[in-house]
Amino acid sequence: MAFSIAKVANWLHQVDKARAVVGWWPAQFATDDERVAYKVQDAFLKKQMVKQGPLAGYKIALTSPQILAQTGLKGPCYGPIRKKRVFEHKAVVRADRWTRLGVELEVIFIVGSDVPKPKDRPYDKDSIADYVGEARAGFELIEDRGADYSRLAVNPLIMDAGWNGGSLLARPNRKWRDLAIDKLDGSISFDGVEMRTGHSGDVLGHPLNALAWLANKLGEHGKMLKKGMIVSSGSMVACQFVPPGSTATGKIEGLGEVTLKYELPK
């Protein structure tokens, strides 16, 4: 069977609507071509946007040792964030609307001005810094569809929107520029019990390295970061799967905290 971008995107859309478990990727929908995988992502995004709103930014996956160890994959890669899946400070999501919900603790950037495609040289953490308008603590909400982590491959992750199910941003911190963004400790707790800790410097050595990587990669794909977009730079800790009925709290030292209630249907 010939590989069809449209067929794979439609299959993903049906899986998403059914909240089906995808333990591993069907062979007929697999590809070794990264560019094809991103084209599937774009096609799937068009279907997601109907109910989840327009593109609001990007998440970056596979950026820290804890995540690489958890998945067995090499990165990074990116996925789209949709506007109606962006939440502020506190959020409640229903357990019957997810296959499996995970949370990842991240430094989330708000782009302060349009980022042109790199010209003479790629962006690095210093040259990309001028385009940052804000930095906040936050959760990326992960929908991994119950994946079998012993069988993961990176291109299915790319095609499936990087598993982005949403983004929860802490309140703005006006003094964020006073912080060493690469030297912050963070933690995830469930119902007040600390589950995992991490360090912001583990995200490609500095979260701004992740932002620079994204700006360069988008340029390769004919895309760009625009003013107001949010960028979830990658998790400081391994993904933590939230027990239904519990409340998850994410904190990053000096940068803020977020609270997510994973509510069982009544």
Side-chain angles (χ1 to χ4, degrees):
M1 181 186 297
F3 186 92
S4 165
I5 289 171
K7 287 182 179 179
V8 180
N10 187 63
W11 177 79
L12 277 168
H13 184 54
Q14 296 300 320
V15 163
D16 193 47
K17 288 198 298 182
R19 303 181 191 92
V21 172
V22 182
W24 58 89
W25 202 262
Q28 67 267 32
F29 295 147
T31 177
D32 294 327
D33 189 326
E34 182 188 86
R35 283 191 172 272
V36 169
Y38 278 112
K39 287 180 180 178
V40 172
Q41 181 187 107
D42 292 341
F44 181 35
L45 174 62
K46 289 180 180 178
K47 296 178 180 295
Q48 291 177 302
M49 287 167 59
V50 174
K51 290 188 176 181
Q52 298 181 18
L55 179 70
Y58 295 92
K59 60 79 57 83
I60 309 170
L62 307 174
T63 59
S64 69
Q66 286 196 37
I67 290 290
L68 298 178
Q70 183 180 32
T71 62
L73 301 178
K74 295 181 180 180
C77 64
Y78 69 79
I81 296 170
R82 289 79 66 198
K83 187 174 182 178
K84 291 184 179 180
R85 291 294 186 92
V86 178
F87 310 101
E88 292 283 342
H89 182 49
K90 293 183 178 181
V92 178
V93 297
R94 285 179 42 166
D96 59 337
R97 295 177 180 174
W98 295 76
T99 308
R100 181 165 62 182
L101 172 66
V103 289
E104 295 184 353
L105 183 66
E106 317 220 354
V107 174
I108 299 178
F109 295 111
I110 313 296
V111 179
S113 58
D114 291 356
V115 182
K117 181 179 178 179
K119 295 181 180 179
D120 299 330
R121 64 183 66 181
Y123 288 107
D124 58 23
K125 69 179 178 62
D126 297 318
S127 58
I128 200 66
D130 290 340
Y131 295 95
V132 176
E134 294 180 42
R136 303 192 197 182
F139 272 154
E140 183 187 2
L141 281 57
I142 297 295
E143 171 57 276
D144 77 351
R145 310 198 192 285
D148 180 348
Y149 278 53
S150 71
R151 299 185 181 215
L152 295 183
V154 70
N155 283 343
L157 176 65
I158 290 171
M159 290 189 274
D160 195 5
W163 288 351
N164 178 263
S167 298
L168 176 58
L169 281 64
R171 290 192 177 104
N173 181 345
R174 293 181 181 179
K175 297 183 178 181
W176 72 268
R177 293 185 187 277
D178 296 335
L179 301 172
I181 293 295
D182 63 328
K183 300 184 185 303
L184 304 179
D185 294 321
S187 64
I188 294 176
S189 299
F190 292 162
D191 296 326
V193 178
E194 188 175 274
M195 305 302 297
R196 195 86 181 209
T197 62
H199 189 69
S200 63
D202 286 344
V203 178
L204 295 185
H206 195 299
L208 285 173
N209 285 332
L211 184 61
W213 174 87
L214 177 63
N216 294 327
K217 195 70 172 179
L218 290 176
E220 293 177 14
H221 294 171
K223 305 172 185 177
M224 63 181 288
L225 290 171
K226 297 181 180 180
K227 181 178 180 179
M229 281 186 168
I230 68 173
V231 176
S232 204
S233 63
S235 188
M236 300 160 56
V237 301
C239 182
Q240 300 298 296
F241 297 105
V242 188
S246 66
T247 298
T249 302
K251 298 180 181 180
I252 299 180
E253 170 193 12
L255 204 56
E257 69 176 75
V258 290
T259 301
L260 179 72
K261 185 175 182 181
Y262 193 32
E263 191 175 69
L264 285 164
K266 297 177 182 179

